Amino acid sequence: MRTTTAPETVAELIARQWGEHRPGLMYEDDAERHVLTRHRTAQEAAARAALLVDLMPPGAEPHLGVLLDNTPEFPFWLGAAALAGAAVAGINPTRRGPELARDILHTDCRILVTERAHLPLLRGLDLPGVRILVTGTEEYEALLAPYAAAKPGEAALRTPGPDSRLLLYFTSGSTGAPKAAICSQGRLAAAGAALARQFTVTPDDVHYICMPLFHGNAIIADWLPALVGGAPVALRRRFSASAFLDDVRAYGATYFTYVGRAIQYLLATEPRPDDRSHPLRLGFGTEAGAVDAARFAERFGVRLVEGYGATEGGASVQRTPDTPPGALGRAGAGDDLAVIDPATGAECPPAVLDPDGRLLNGSAAIGELVNRGRSLFEGYWRNPGAEADRTRDGWYWTGDLFFRDEAGYLYFAGRTDDRLRVDSENLAAAVIENILARWEDAAAVAVYAVPDEVAGDQVMAALALREGAAFDPAAFAAFLSLQPDLGTKMAPRYVRVVTAMPTTATNKIHRVSLRREGFHCDDPVWHRTPAGCYRPLDEAALAALLATYEAQGRSGLLRRPGTPPARNDRPGAGDAGDAGDAEAASGT
């Protein structure tokens, strides 16, 4: 019988499934749908926990990397890590080459669990001391076979407790090296319980997980509340807009989470007469945008709830029924959130909004969101400098720009450094710059964010060419295609060709001016088509682009020629919290 006692650890949530023979995990394999009981999922986790105990080298940090799509093995290993007192580092398969190797080695992973589909990513990487387990192979099944009778609690590297590390989630910063945020079992269990209460999760629900499990959204906002509420989860290997409703109906899904452009992709599918014929009752996530959220509700009859909460535990914003359009809500319980001018340390004045909700005093009202109260921040793995920067002066600095209206409702306005958020992925400008600098015709490179038409950012690059060189769009696109470490979302959407890179008095690239101008400039600008080709952003293309921004209600993020620049150093970003350093939609 399921207990209603608040869980103290994720290990406890896994163990609670033992002996429960209701559905726990659903997935598709080779076009066939499978259903595993909650007992079976706990059994599989226990077997892997026992294997993990035997495979982990003595004295090693109890960390394992998981480089998998959304297959059953991912939640099995999450459960195994919880039972064994170990931690999982979610490895992002869009990373490439040395950057991918760095993620694995930085988190001291001595074991890496992957699958055949991702083996090409590891080819040629130097991963000393890392044992690679390839799921779905005979060797893997042979390794697991001796542990088939294991039970939860029988094998552990360290006794799991509320303070035990369970997740190491990578976030991106302006330095270019992702930080691994530490998430403990106690904090994650509490987050799952809070969301289960907020959304009244019961065993009659089905949580559809179509967002990647290496990202905090899927685990914190989807998998964990299902564990707490006793609801089964249904896995989709990778998000598919065309298969979304078919999956929802086949699994009986009632709840899903989203990040980035997923909602736009769903809205782009061909409308069907049965679009409202499904069991979904709620979507929870970030970056849908108010326009697309309204369109989604009108077409599919499903309410979308947007949230903001840091994976690091530093701050959260809670939505209430009276939250105005465009706002995320107010400070969560126990948080003392303020919008601070980083230059002065003073609190910014309230926002002045016109009747349509447009911000009129952004230069004064926008500042960094700071938690002056208690913080659940647990640090970054082996990165004391980043920890100190987050918690300076005894406050937790989110790294995100906000403004607050007279009633205290908070609105997201961007990020404070050189991070970019492209299609729900956090990228670092320096990493992309280092790749683009290899182009033989480039004399100088600067990479920065411009607002996406719908949500988040797009990559823009300014290129100063070598003397005598001219920008060759075909050659540039060919160069990009040959870079092994250029991630799938790093290619610049816009390229600005400058005669000379703007610099500060200390001869550093003047990124502020580049960000403020975006693609409104006198220099030639090229834009990347879906086919990967670069075309001039001429007057007709620019007009069409601006019309798209206007239709999505995001034109206010763009600086028009002749208008004064905003005080903040970049022209805006998503419609909700950052899902890397600030894990939007996690509720934690």
Side-chain angles (χ1 to χ4, degrees):
M1 183 174 180
R2 187 168 60 93
T3 177
T4 57
T5 305
E8 292 189 349
T9 65
V10 178
E12 180 183 341
L13 291 172
I14 300 299
R16 282 183 183 183
Q17 298 180 106
W18 192 262
E20 289 194 12
H21 297 286
R22 291 180 289 103
L25 177 64
M26 297 181 277
Y27 65 99
E28 184 177 291
D29 184 34
D30 295 328
E32 182 180 352
R33 297 191 189 274
H34 304 266
V35 179
L36 304 183
T37 66
R38 286 168 60 81
H39 175 85
R40 173 71 180 278
T41 61
Q43 187 178 43
E44 297 290 350
R48 285 155 182 77
L51 173 62
L52 182 61
V53 169
D54 285 350
L55 291 186
M56 190 65 67
E61 291 290 348
H63 297 174
L64 65 146
V66 177
L67 177 61
L68 295 170
D69 289 337
N70 288 359
T71 68
E73 290 289 346
F74 210 129
F76 291 164
W77 279 102
L78 287 171
L83 294 172
V88 167
I91 306 301
N92 185 342
T94 69
R95 300 271 282 172
R96 294 292 186 272
E99 297 299 327
L100 179 63
R102 181 262 174 197
D103 291 351
I104 298 166
L105 297 177
H106 172 70
T107 45
D108 295 316
C109 294
R110 301 300 298 274
I111 295 171
L112 177 67
V113 182
T114 189
E115 56 185 302
R116 286 190 179 98
H118 292 320
L119 285 178
L121 299 178
L122 303 175
R123 193 169 296 131
L125 297 189
D126 186 17
L127 299 172
V130 179
R131 179 166 184 173
I132 299 174
L133 307 183
V134 184
T135 63
T137 63
E138 291 183 3
E139 294 82 358
Y140 181 75
E141 297 303 325
L143 273 176
L144 276 174
Y147 305 96
K151 297 180 180 179
E154 288 184 341
L157 294 160
R158 298 176 183 176
T159 302
D163 295 332
S164 300
R165 291 188 301 274
L166 178 57
L167 299 179
L168 297 171
Y169 268 118
F170 285 106
T171 67
S172 297
S174 59
T175 61
K179 305 181 292 291
I182 299 170
C183 303
S184 68
Q185 290 212 31
R187 183 158 66 83
L188 291 169
L195 285 174
R197 288 193 302 271
Q198 180 180 350
F199 297 130
T200 319
V201 181
T202 74
D204 293 328
D205 284 302
V206 175
H207 282 211
Y208 179 55
I209 301 180
C210 54
M211 296 294 101
L213 280 162
F214 68 78
H215 189 278
N217 167 280
I219 290 181
I220 299 173
D222 216 339
W223 182 66
L224 282 169
L227 277 180
V228 174
V233 298
L235 297 180
R236 177 80 191 182
R237 175 179 275 271
R238 293 184 182 179
F239 173 73
S240 168
S242 61
F244 180 83
L245 276 184
D246 290 338
D247 274 357
V248 163
R249 296 186 184 104
Y251 292 124
T254 59
Y255 170 100
F256 76 105
T257 61
Y258 60 88
V259 291
R261 303 171 71 95
I263 297 302
Q264 185 188 22
Y265 295 146
L266 291 170
L267 289 170
T269 59
E270 188 71 23
R272 301 184 339 199
D274 60 351
D275 276 343
R276 282 175 168 251
S277 177
H278 56 73
L280 274 180
R281 63 182 179 89
L282 180 68
F284 181 47
T286 181
E287 299 181 17
V291 173
D292 282 346
R295 291 173 178 167
F296 195 86
E298 180 180 0
R299 175 174 167 183
F300 297 105
V302 179
R303 179 171 65 102
L304 301 182
V305 176
E306 299 246 325
Y308 175 96
T311 297
E312 294 97 321
S316 66
V317 177
Q318 301 297 325
R319 189 175 187 87
T320 56
D322 55 350
T323 299
L328 292 179
R330 303 182 192 226
D335 287 343
D336 177 15
L337 300 185
V339 179
I340 300 294
D341 182 342
T344 65
E347 190 164 357
C348 296
V352 177
L353 305 174
D354 71 9
D356 294 323
R358 297 185 180 93
L359 179 64
L360 301 180
N361 64 334
S363 60
I366 293 175
E368 184 169 352
L369 186 69
V370 172
N371 189 355
R372 302 177 297 193
R374 67 97 176 93
S375 171
L376 299 178
F377 178 51
E378 297 172 295
Y380 296 117
W381 182 250
R382 301 200 189 286
N383 200 333
E387 287 185 21
D389 184 61
R390 272 280 180 256
T391 57
R392 60 190 185 274
D393 303 322
W395 293 350
Y396 178 85
W397 296 74
T398 65
D400 292 318
L401 298 173
F402 272 75
F403 58 90
R404 187 200 300 262
D405 66 17
E406 289 279 4
Y409 291 100
L410 290 160
Y411 298 72
F412 183 70
R415 281 168 286 283
T416 58
D417 52 23
D418 289 332
R419 285 173 290 172
L420 302 85
R421 182 162 177 75
V422 179
D423 197 11
S424 79
E425 288 293 329
N426 291 313
L427 307 176
V431 172
I432 305 174
E433 286 173 357
N434 290 337
I435 297 172
L436 299 187
R438 300 171 191 159
W439 192 38
E440 59 182 12
D441 285 341
V445 179
V447 168
Y448 45 99
V450 294
D452 181 80
E453 302 96 307
V454 177
D457 305 320
Q458 284 296 334
V459 179
M460 185 163 184
L463 299 178
L465 302 179
R466 298 189 184 278
E467 187 175 354
F471 182 70
D472 183 336
F476 184 71
F479 159 81
L480 294 178
S481 70
L482 296 175
Q483 305 312 303
D485 52 349
L486 186 73
T488 57
K489 298 172 185 177
M490 291 181 177
R493 169 76 72 86
Y494 303 102
V495 176
R496 174 181 178 178
V497 181
V498 299
T499 54
M501 198 69 70
T503 58
T504 66
T506 56
N507 290 320
K508 294 182 179 179
I509 294 176
H510 201 300
R511 299 175 188 277
V512 172
S513 64
L514 292 171
R515 292 190 189 101
R516 285 174 177 167
E517 292 174 353
F519 40 74
H520 288 293
C521 60
D522 294 331
D523 296 314
V525 175
W526 300 72
H527 70 105
R528 190 170 187 260
T529 70
C533 304
Y534 284 89
R535 298 284 184 264
L537 189 65
D538 55 22
E539 290 297 324
L542 179 59
L545 180 62
L546 294 178
T548 304
Y549 279 89
E550 189 72 33
Q552 291 292 334
R554 290 175 61 82
S555 58
L557 298 177
L558 301 175
R559 181 194 167 212
R560 302 302 178 91
T563 61
R567 183 183 62 80
N568 53 301
D569 69 353
R570 62 175 295 256
D575 298 297
D578 178 284
D581 281 349
E583 182 63 69
S586 72
T588 59

